[in-house]
Amino acid sequence: MKPKQQYIVLSFIILTLFLASQINFNCPFFWDEAWSYMRTIDWMGHHNITLNPVAIDPDISRAHPLGFYAFVSLFAKVFGSSNCFFHLFMFIANSVLIFLFTWEFSTEKNTKQSILILALFIFQGVTITQLPFVLPEIFIALLSTLAVLYFFHSRLLPFLLTSIAVVLIKESSIVLLVTLWAYGLLRLFKKKGSMLLLIGLAIPYGS
């Protein structure tokens, strides 16, 4: 392991342990946790874990994609379904994503910048609040950022995995993929000197 990687790992462990000491993992579920996400997760826990939206009553799933519910339910079936487990699991899962994001970013910037970004992100009030909650917002934010990072690095497999995951969690994430596709198409035609063809393709949709 390179020295800069050691600093990143050490900083991540210290910050994560500090946050864990400030959180009550046995707290009750609040707002969207209680009436939306935990409702569907509980349903999957007593029935089948599925990604098929037709298999669940829309009144329970709120017609959301089922990726997040299925992911949490899978671990709940193995380790239990107490309040403490769900909040601890979300804390660990979100922390792993934060670490992955920082690790990938460290290949672009130097170690000091990576650690500073990690600290600034973790110590934001919304991050500290959301880390243990059974909510997909941090998943969506970090997976979307990683998908963009992998796209511009031309790393196809990680890009496919992160982009598919984020779409399975939030349907509106498809906008990000369409934007990246349009950007890639624009660059392709620009390189080939075929901007007129690109404009010609866009005219029917604009009209």
Side-chain angles (χ1 to χ4, degrees), residues 32-101:
D32 284 0
E33 275 190 305
W35 65 267
S36 179
Y37 293 100
M38 282 309 304
R39 223 177 137 199
T40 308
I41 291 169
D42 184 65
W43 185 94
M44 286 191 182
H46 289 88
H47 297 82
N48 295 320
I49 297 175
T50 179
L51 294 174
N52 182 8
V54 179
I56 299 182
D57 187 339
D59 288 336
I60 297 176
S61 66
R62 303 292 174 181
H64 290 311
L66 302 178
F68 177 74
Y69 306 110
F71 177 69
V72 179
S73 297
L74 180 63
F75 283 87
K77 283 220 178 228
V78 177
F79 297 104
S81 56
S82 65
N83 287 22
C84 184
F85 162 77
F86 282 115
H87 289 134
L88 181 61
F89 170 74
M90 288 304 302
F91 177 82
I92 294 172
N94 284 325
S95 297
V96 168
L97 278 176
I98 291 172
F99 174 73
L100 179 60
F101 168 73

Side-chain angles (χ1 to χ4, degrees), residues 21-184:
S21 68
Q22 308 299 310
I23 295 172
N24 175 17
F25 291 105
N26 206 32
C27 63
F29 299 114
F30 296 101
W31 299 103
D32 284 0
E33 275 190 305
W35 65 267
S36 179
Y37 293 100
M38 282 309 304
R39 223 177 137 199
T40 308
I41 291 169
D42 184 65
W43 185 94
M44 286 191 182
H46 289 88
H47 297 82
N48 295 320
I49 297 175
T50 179
L51 294 174
N52 182 8
V54 179
I56 299 182
D57 187 339
D59 288 336
I60 297 176
S61 66
R62 303 292 174 181
H64 290 311
L66 302 178
F68 177 74
Y69 306 110
F71 177 69
V72 179
S73 297
L74 180 63
F75 283 87
K77 283 220 178 228
V78 177
F79 297 104
S81 56
S82 65
N83 287 22
C84 184
F85 162 77
F86 282 115
H87 289 134
L88 181 61
F89 170 74
M90 288 304 302
F91 177 82
I92 294 172
N94 284 325
S95 297
V96 168
L97 278 176
I98 291 172
F99 174 73
L100 179 60
F101 168 73
T102 309
W103 186 274
E104 291 295 338
F105 187 83
S106 69
T107 62
E108 291 294 308
K109 305 294 180 182
N110 64 42
T111 306
K112 291 180 180 178
Q113 288 174 311
S114 299
I115 294 173
L116 179 60
I117 289 172
L118 172 64
L120 288 174
F121 181 80
I122 284 183
F123 284 112
Q124 292 214 33
V126 65
T127 305
I128 296 173
T129 303
Q130 293 270 349
L131 272 178
F133 279 8
V134 188
L135 298 171
E137 276 73 14
I138 293 182
F139 271 46
I140 295 167
L142 292 175
L143 286 172
S144 299
T145 306
L146 285 169
V148 172
L149 192 63
Y150 292 139
F151 175 83
F152 285 107
H153 285 181
S154 300
R155 295 172 61 182
L156 181 59
L157 183 58
F159 169 71
L160 288 175
L161 292 175
T162 50
S163 57
I164 290 171
V166 75
V167 170
L168 287 175
I169 293 173
K170 190 71 174 178
E171 67 278 9
S172 56
S173 302
I174 195 70
V175 174
L176 172 66
L177 302 186
V178 172
T179 303
L180 292 176
W181 171 82
Y183 172 82

